Amino acid sequence: MAERETSGKADLGRALLCPSAQPDMPGAHVLGVVTGPVEAPQIAYLDEPVPVTDAVTALAEPAHPADVMRFSAPCEERKCCHFDGQRCQLATRIVDTLPAVVDALPECLIRSECRWFQQEHRAACLRCPQVVTRNHAASELMVSVARVALSDADAGQPPAPAPRTGP
Ligand code: SF4
């Protein structure tokens, strides 16, 4: 299990960005592009903000945009199956379960607003590049990390959106 940083209190009271969002979410921007082999994908983070437009999503055709790009968008909190009311449990599972794949913080435009970073700090960034939002070749480990949390009904929350196919 990864060692958690305890310094720096997460500022979870302000609007934060989900770094593995869907392209049709309000305010979505392209965060990066999937590169590398199918069995070991790596995100190449963009160095300028690119809002999602029809022209951008058309670049992915015939694939789904989230197969080949990562998107950021304002965290939907309780509308998302990974949010437990205070924290993103997907970020927690990523840090607890996946190996680090880089030794230094990736150059990333959204760090000051990223929920995963605010919550899990550096450990999230060292694991983030391997995450593909819709990963059709996901390993068993990745599938277990991406799993949908216990039903929101169990937690007394409204129903979650349809499960995503990846983190
Ligand atoms: S976890 Fe780190 S590298 Fe990934 S999107 Fe957030 S700030 Fe960027």
Side-chain angles (χ1 to χ4, degrees), residues 10-131:
D11 179 5
L12 301 180
R14 65 186 168 90
L16 294 172
L17 297 177
C18 168
S20 187
Q22 297 294 332
D24 58 354
M25 287 167 61
H29 283 67
V30 182
L31 175 66
V33 176
V34 179
T35 68
V38 170
E39 64 279 8
Q42 283 265 335
I43 302 301
Y45 298 89
L46 299 197
D47 59 6
E48 60 182 274
V50 175
V52 175
T53 62
D54 289 346
V56 167
T57 55
L59 294 172
E61 291 177 357
H64 186 284
D67 291 346
V68 294
M69 294 181 239
R70 280 261 304 275
F71 299 92
S72 64
C75 172
E76 294 190 322
E77 300 195 344
R78 290 178 186 275
K79 290 184 185 169
C80 176
C81 56
H82 296 301
F83 191 69
D84 69 2
Q86 290 193 307
R87 297 167 63 85
C88 173
Q89 287 300 321
L90 174 59
T92 300
R93 291 195 298 275
I94 286 171
V95 167
D96 284 349
T97 310
L98 296 180
V101 290
V102 290
D103 329 322
L105 294 181
E107 298 273 341
C108 168
L109 288 176
I110 69 164
R111 185 154 293 121
S112 64
E113 302 168 275
C114 177
R115 175 170 291 284
W116 293 3
F117 180 74
Q118 289 282 332
Q119 180 181 309
E120 303 292 344
H121 312 286
R122 188 170 187 268
C125 298
L126 301 185
R127 291 160 177 79
C128 180
Q130 68 197 293
V131 173

